[in-house]
Amino acid sequence: MITRPTLPPRKGYVEREAADGTRYYAPTQETTDAEALAAENTKLKAQLTLQAQQQEFLEDCILEMADTVYA
Amino acid sequence: MKDRVPKYPGRVKLTPVSGQENTYDMVRADQPTQEGTPLNKENLLSDATASALGLTGDPTVDDALGRLAKKSEYKVGDIKVTARTDLGDEWVLCNGDTLQEGYADISNIIVPTVLSSAPTSTSFGGTGAKKFVELDGIPYVLAFSAASLFLYTLSGTVALSTNISGYSYSSYNAKGAAYGAGYYVIPGSDTYNKQFIGYFAGLAGTVNLKTFSDGLVGDITYQNGYFVMVGETSSSYPCIWYATTPGGTWTQVVISSDHTLFRNNAKVVYYLNGRFVAVWGGRGEVLLAYSSDGRSWSQAVVIPSEISGDSTADYVDAVYVGDRYYIMQTSKVSRKIAVFASESLNSGWKTSKVFLLYAYNGVIADFAGNVVLICLDSGLYSGTVNLLNSDGSWEEKYNANNVGSGNSIAENAYTSSSRMCIGGTSAFKNWYIKVPNITFDGAYAYIKAKEATT
């Protein structure tokens, strides 16, 4: 347990002491969950962007095929 | 207080001391019309006031004022948010750490956290947690299944394993365990006529068996060079055995020939407050005896009890917390658990409470400086953890929903300043006392964990 903190207070992170006495920041469970959500959000956005690009590509392909078929 | 009101302010009478140059005895001669309140210890800082402030030794008025300043308006359990880092060791940073020694004030306020990862019966090879034992400073779960014996760590790893079927025993039925002189010693019984101890030279050692022909063996402890095992003679008298090494001579001491027992497991021995203390559940009574060296024992101390430990399922248990001894006795037939308390082993025992409906299993333990009675309700198959308050009353802190159910609790428990493991025949639960997690940018959150001591 810590009675005299040494690291600056930081929202979402608590100060902990390692076995060798070193102090470090540890994320709270809420922070860990939020970071996981943020990472998942970034991944989902990238997937969405990729899906959109693929959709656009397919639409372009269809248009080109239509041009060829109905030319 | 009253001021001194002098008729002649500052007037004194000086009388030369005979034979000592320029030395005088001085006596006030101001002829007060009101004497005023004397400036002495009783009026400035009496022993009673110092004690009320928690001050010991020879405190000064400044010490008392310092204590008052620190007592402030905050009580144990209050949260303070500040950018300061010099609040003192009674204020603990709210960082989710497990509570350590020396913070008993807050330990009965914070609700323990139950870890979902606690081992279950599966972790104990299907044998269950029969008893928690601390051996060589490490807590273990003692478990057995038929002739197999196991010591598990609290995380469920096998530390010791053996099987005594090769010795023509069909059940180990372990009673307790002790570590001393390099040996792990675990008493057990197969049938009434097959009482024994198994001992191991180290956790990886093979089992050695030593049989006992006169009576029943029971719980065991080791301290100051002696193994002390509680038991019952073949005439059902309370007795203990002691030995320096498990393979050597075990000397039997009969505690009393005036009281007979029930041939059950209601017998424990602990080393409490500098003495060996053995306790037996008797017929409408609890018996105890104590010894400072494990060899010379007191006469039986009789605690009258309204219940009888008359079933093989009954238990007794004992603990020393603060300045008192506590003994618990269960009765499956009476469906009651009685708790007795005394400041002295040989006298002054009083019934703290008789818990109705609770029976079958029970443990009394020290949880972070608090007395807790962990027990199982045989009728409802539910368990509770009861806390003894400072005013002597008991409070049910946690019930079946968050303790456990069925036979899964209260046959035994392991407690420390921050952890409570409650076990039984099918599972156990781990409880931890942790300070809260509170964070801010630019300021720290602290919880007041104890009263100031300086």
Side-chain angles (χ1 to χ4, degrees), chain B residues 53-90:
Chain B
L53 288 170
L55 296 168
T56 56
D58 295 314
T60 63
V61 173
D62 186 59
D63 291 333
L65 292 173
R67 173 58 56 86
L68 284 172
K70 280 199 167 183
K71 277 187 103 63
S72 68
E73 75 275 22
Y74 288 100
K75 295 179 179 175
V76 170
D78 286 353
I79 304 282
K80 179 187 269 190
V81 177
T82 175
R84 290 172 52 195
T85 61
D86 59 347
L87 299 188
D89 69 351
E90 65 267 30

Side-chain angles (χ1 to χ4, degrees), chain A residues 1-2 7 11-12 15-16, chain B residues 93 95 100 103 439 441 444:
Chain A
M1 291 192 305
I2 294 172
L7 302 177
K11 185 170 177 55
E15 184 174 335
R16 290 269 169 79
Chain B
L93 189 68
N95 65 350
Q100 294 173 351
Y103 290 92
T439 63
D441 277 329
Y444 303 100

Side-chain angles (χ1 to χ4, degrees), chain B residues 127-284:
Chain B
T127 58
K130 294 294 181 185
K131 192 177 182 72
F132 289 86
V133 288
E134 193 166 301
L135 305 174
D136 201 16
I138 300 172
Y140 294 99
V141 175
L142 182 62
F144 61 88
S145 177
S148 295
L149 174 79
F150 305 95
L151 274 182
Y152 293 91
T153 65
L154 295 192
S155 59
T157 307
V158 176
L160 181 151
S161 172
T162 193
N163 186 295
I164 59 170
S165 58
Y167 294 85
S168 299
Y169 287 78
S170 57
S171 174
Y172 200 111
N173 195 15
K175 310 293 183 184
Y179 174 81
Y183 290 98
Y184 292 84
V185 184
I186 303 174
S189 67
D190 185 355
T191 61
Y192 178 74
N193 293 319
K194 285 185 176 180
Q195 306 286 315
F196 60 89
I197 59 166
Y199 58 99
F200 310 77
L203 290 171
T206 55
V207 64
N208 300 281
L209 287 186
K210 186 178 183 68
T211 57
F212 286 70
S213 57
D214 184 13
L216 280 74
V217 301
D219 191 23
I220 190 170
T221 190
Y222 179 87
Q223 195 73 36
N224 298 340
Y226 283 90
F227 290 96
V228 172
M229 182 168 62
V230 67
E232 179 177 332
T233 71
S234 53
S235 302
S236 293
Y237 298 142
C239 73
I240 66 98
W241 283 272
Y242 67 84
T244 54
T245 58
T249 302
W250 287 79
T251 304
Q252 188 185 57
V253 179
V254 179
I255 300 299
S256 170
S257 300
D258 298 327
H259 303 269
T260 55
L261 304 171
F262 287 107
R263 290 188 178 183
N264 61 13
N265 288 322
K267 38 182 77 74
V268 292
V269 62
Y270 290 106
Y271 191 76
L272 303 175
N273 192 28
R275 284 191 281 198
F276 293 95
V277 180
V279 181
W280 298 264
R283 297 169 186 270

Side-chain angles (χ1 to χ4, degrees), chain B residues 155-453:
Chain B
S155 59
T157 307
V158 176
L160 181 151
S161 172
T162 193
N163 186 295
I164 59 170
S165 58
Y167 294 85
S168 299
Y169 287 78
S170 57
S171 174
Y172 200 111
N173 195 15
K175 310 293 183 184
Y179 174 81
Y183 290 98
Y184 292 84
V185 184
I186 303 174
S189 67
D190 185 355
T191 61
Y192 178 74
N193 293 319
K194 285 185 176 180
Q195 306 286 315
F196 60 89
I197 59 166
Y199 58 99
F200 310 77
L203 290 171
T206 55
V207 64
N208 300 281
L209 287 186
K210 186 178 183 68
T211 57
F212 286 70
S213 57
D214 184 13
L216 280 74
V217 301
D219 191 23
I220 190 170
T221 190
Y222 179 87
Q223 195 73 36
N224 298 340
Y226 283 90
F227 290 96
V228 172
M229 182 168 62
V230 67
E232 179 177 332
T233 71
S234 53
S235 302
S236 293
Y237 298 142
C239 73
I240 66 98
W241 283 272
Y242 67 84
T244 54
T245 58
T249 302
W250 287 79
T251 304
Q252 188 185 57
V253 179
V254 179
I255 300 299
S256 170
S257 300
D258 298 327
H259 303 269
T260 55
L261 304 171
F262 287 107
R263 290 188 178 183
N264 61 13
N265 288 322
K267 38 182 77 74
V268 292
V269 62
Y270 290 106
Y271 191 76
L272 303 175
N273 192 28
R275 284 191 281 198
F276 293 95
V277 180
V279 181
W280 298 264
R283 297 169 186 270
E285 61 193 13
V286 173
L287 306 173
L288 75 87
Y290 54 91
S291 168
S292 58
D293 60 8
R295 292 166 289 165
S296 301
W297 284 79
S298 71
Q299 292 185 325
V301 176
V302 181
I303 306 170
S305 173
E306 67 177 78
I307 65 176
S308 292
D310 55 1
S311 162
T312 53
D314 292 342
Y315 292 84
V316 288
D317 201 8
V319 71
Y320 180 78
V321 182
D323 58 354
R324 286 174 190 270
Y325 299 90
Y326 298 88
I327 289 177
M328 173 225 72
Q329 180 189 29
T330 75
S331 171
K332 183 180 181 183
V333 174
S334 303
R335 294 173 63 90
K336 292 177 181 175
I337 292 180
V339 177
F340 310 94
S342 176
E343 293 180 359
S344 167
L345 283 171
N346 62 359
S347 63
W349 285 96
K350 291 180 180 173
T351 302
S352 173
K353 181 170 180 176
V354 175
F355 292 80
L356 302 178
L357 292 178
Y358 299 101
Y360 197 23
N361 292 334
V363 177
I364 195 159
D366 176 354
F367 184 32
N370 301 292
V371 181
V372 289
L373 175 73
I374 304 153
C375 52
L376 177 67
D377 181 332
S378 63
L380 300 174
Y381 291 101
S382 59
T384 61
V385 176
N386 303 275
L387 177 83
L388 179 61
N389 292 316
S390 57
D391 64 1
S393 64
W394 287 85
E395 180 183 0
E396 185 177 298
K397 294 288 283 188
Y398 320 111
N399 59 30
N401 292 330
N402 50 15
V403 173
S405 61
N407 291 325
S408 64
I409 77 141
E411 189 167 348
N412 43 69
Y414 169 76
T415 55
S416 67
S417 60
S418 60
R419 183 178 188 180
M420 175 165 60
C421 302
I422 302 175
T425 53
S426 61
F428 80 77
K429 283 183 178 292
N430 269 316
W431 302 56
Y432 285 92
I433 295 182
K434 292 173 178 288
V435 295
N437 254 328
I438 305 173
T439 63
F440 296 96
D441 277 329
Y444 303 100
Y446 300 86
I447 186 167
K448 187 166 184 179
K450 63 180 180 181
E451 290 293 354
T453 54

